[in-house]
């Protein structure tokens, strides 16, 4: 009676490739932080945010604001992102377009329902407008923080694809921590509950 051999060259190659993949991919990722991780670059986040702009908002029926594409910056020490947003003010109360910009920073959170990374805890840091009279500038400075928090909160800065989560999912892990680093956004994983 002949016993089938499971040590065929093809099977050995497959087993060797699986072991090598495990050692080269899973072990270093798990050892680096005790669990797998995934990094999103600034360029990837910039691209995702850029798809949602420009945005236009009326202010009290007198002024219209057009927000241009934000320019993201990493703030690793605060575990936040910052952005400069160019803005044009125009409308019935103004005789021409007035350019300007504002600075905001924000924290990030993971939304499991659509596997997105979203802005939250938005803070307006400054507003500069060129050529506007002081009364209009004061109106915008009073109105802008509420507008930004209302309209930009929960802006998606990145959406994870199924292949981004495939390894972690196969290991029974899910996204947990979001850490802003010099190299981008590091997503840490934790066991699924």
């Amino acid at each position: 009676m002949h016993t089938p051999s499971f040590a065929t060259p093809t099977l050995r190659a497959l087993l060797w490739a699986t072991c090598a993949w495990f050692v080269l991919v899973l072990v270093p990722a798990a050892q680096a932080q005790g669990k797998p991780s995934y990094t999103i670059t600034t360029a990837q986040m910039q691209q995702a945010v850029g798809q949602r702009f420009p945005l236009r908002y009326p202010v009290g029926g007198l002024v219209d604001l057009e927000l241009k594409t934000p320019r993201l910056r990493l703030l690793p020490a605060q575990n936040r992102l910052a952005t400069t947003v160019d803005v044009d003010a125009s409308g019935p109360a103004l005789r021409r377009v007035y350019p300007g910009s504002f600075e905001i920073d924000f924290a990030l959170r993971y939304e499991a329902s659509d596997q997105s990374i979203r802005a939250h805890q938005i803070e307006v840091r400054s507003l500069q407008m060129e050529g506007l009279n002081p009364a209009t500038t004061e109106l915008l400075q009073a109105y802008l923080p509420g507008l930004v928090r209302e309209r930009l909160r929960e802006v998606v800065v990145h959406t994870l694809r199924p292949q981004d989560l495939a390894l972690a999912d196969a290991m029974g892990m899910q996204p947990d921590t979001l850490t802003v680093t010099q190299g981008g956004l590091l997503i840490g994983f934790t066991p699924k509950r």
Side-chain angles (χ1 to χ4, degrees):
M1 180 169 169
H2 182 280
T3 306
S5 172
F6 291 103
T8 65
T10 304
L11 184 57
R12 278 193 301 253
L14 179 62
L15 288 172
W16 172 250
T18 302
C19 290
W21 177 81
F22 181 80
V23 170
L24 293 173
V25 175
L26 292 181
V27 172
Q31 288 176 342
Q33 292 188 338
K35 55 187 175 180
S37 62
Y38 179 80
T39 299
I40 302 168
T41 66
T42 307
Q44 288 172 306
M45 291 184 283
Q46 182 69 56
Q47 181 181 14
V49 169
Q51 294 173 1
R52 291 162 174 77
F53 286 83
L55 298 173
R56 291 175 183 82
Y57 297 108
V59 179
L62 300 173
V63 177
D64 295 316
L65 297 178
E66 180 177 338
L67 282 58
K68 310 293 176 124
T69 302
R71 297 179 301 278
L72 297 176
R73 292 185 319 280
L74 304 171
L75 302 174
Q78 293 88 19
N79 199 34
R80 293 172 71 85
L81 292 176
T83 186
T84 301
V85 181
D86 291 331
V87 59
D88 286 338
S90 61
L94 305 174
R95 297 184 186 270
R96 64 180 182 91
V97 175
Y98 292 89
S101 65
F102 63 92
E103 301 269 338
I104 63 173
D105 64 62
F106 53 91
L108 296 167
R109 73 173 193 84
Y110 176 70
E111 176 53 51
S113 66
D114 63 359
Q115 299 174 328
S116 65
I117 310 295
R118 297 171 178 245
H120 80 126
Q121 298 176 352
I122 296 173
E123 296 294 332
V124 177
R125 298 300 177 192
S126 67
L127 168 68
Q128 293 88 33
M129 298 300 297
E130 297 174 20
L132 274 181
N133 66 52
T136 307
T137 301
E138 285 178 24
L139 171 70
L140 289 177
Q141 286 175 333
Y143 186 77
L144 188 64
L147 173 80
V148 167
R149 287 188 192 104
E150 176 187 331
R151 303 298 178 138
L152 298 185
R153 93 183 129 98
E154 301 298 311
V155 165
V156 174
V157 298
H158 188 77
T159 301
L160 294 165
R161 303 165 302 172
Q163 58 265 37
D164 299 335
L165 298 172
L167 176 60
D169 194 46
M171 296 173 66
M173 308 286 273
Q174 64 187 8
D176 180 36
T177 58
L178 301 175
T179 306
V180 178
T181 69
Q182 293 291 349
L185 178 65
L186 182 69
I187 301 174
F189 293 84
T190 190
K192 291 181 179 178
R193 297 173 188 92

